[in-house]
Amino acid sequence: MTIRVYLMPVIEAERGNATRRIPKYLSLVDGTKSTFIRYGQEDVGLFIDNSSDAASAAISANSDVRTFPVDLDTVVTNGPRTQIVNALEALNVPAHWVANGQTFRVVFRRLAGVFQLLQNVQGRGLRFLQASLDSPISGLPANVRQAMQDGAAALNLSTTGITGATTLRVALASIGAQFDARPVRACGTEL
Amino acid sequence: MTVLFTDSGAGGDANPIGGSYVTLTGLIGLQRLSNTIANASGSDGDCAARINVATANDHYCKIRPSTVSNRDFGAMVRCQSGSAGGVLMTDYNATDVEVYVLVAGSFGSFVDRDAGTYQTTSDVYMEAQGTSYLTKIGASTINSFTDATHSTGQGGIFAYDSAARIINVEIGDFAVGDTLFAQALT
């Protein structure tokens, strides 16, 4: 089966007699494996799935879903770049770094890397995005700044060059860039 | 691998059933009832039990269910001390095995789904290695995926519904030289 990557909203739904946060269109899948890389506790994530072409078409038909090319080594060109940047920025995901000539694999890995850092901050009981992306890091509470540092260390990431004056978007872009050559495991394979 | 905790469910039955449960040594809040391990008071998001000995952050948990079909329970890794946090594997709908991340003060977030169900004849296994996770039923790997929410914690067991029943439990660390799933960092 073909593995596809989507940018998909998160919803709260009843699962197992409990309310849980799940990918919005999880009910449409018909594949054997699905993986979700959450943007910390924000309401969006990367959904990776091996559903059929028909199910994938049904998922992609939703206006709040963005679908990556099946071939992640496809190169970003100007038109898609504008769409990607607009879609991500509308979801409070920094995307100024997306450039023509990058592959969608690099875009995916950088997003997954940034999402993982926010997951780790969330795992420490904190929300990272407590200020706009264009705010300086110094505007975040001290415990959030510390959680970001600790999270980066836990993920073997460098925070060199990130200071209090660095904006959240630039800091996150710096984190994401460290994932260019770091595969992401999803649906039992490395992407 | 270093086995840190096992329980085979071979202990004596509670007497009377539903009366005096036996708390298992080495696990917090986990009790044995009638040669099975039962969730006596679990609720959504609870770590029904976690191992109470030092566990490396990279570890595994293996259980053998004694009941299946619409049962919301499973193996758990990276359980957080003193809060409802960790990564759990569950088979609540008898259709898919799903993995959720729990964070203190929040509810479960979906991480992974695989077609498959628990069997009373097979172990359920979950392993944490860095930001990579591996799940198995019996000898078959059902999935592997990335999540970075919890870097630390201990092995344990999750149970939502009071009908959860587990016969065997094994929790262990990895040691130098073990053959591991771990995804190499580049």
Side-chain angles (χ1 to χ4, degrees), chain A residues 165-189:
Chain A
T166 307
T167 62
L168 270 60
R169 78 163 52 250
V170 170
L172 291 178
S174 166
I175 293 296
Q178 296 175 57
F179 281 82
D180 284 9
R182 192 184 289 199
V184 176
R185 181 160 285 277
C187 288
T189 191

Side-chain angles (χ1 to χ4, degrees), chain A residues 3 32-36 48 50 185-189, chain B residues 89 97 99 110-115 125-127 132-137 140-146 181:
Chain A
I3 292 180
T32 56
K33 296 181 186 300
S34 308
T35 297
F36 195 54
I48 303 100
N50 67 354
R185 181 160 285 277
C187 288
T189 191
Chain B
M89 200 174 166
V97 174
V99 176
F110 176 94
V111 177
D112 188 76
R113 167 201 152 269
D114 307 282
Y125 175 97
M126 183 155 62
E127 170 182 323
S132 293
Y133 292 80
L134 174 74
T135 53
K136 291 187 204 176
I137 294 181
S140 300
T141 297
I142 59 170
N143 212 352
S144 56
F145 53 91
T146 296
F181 158 73

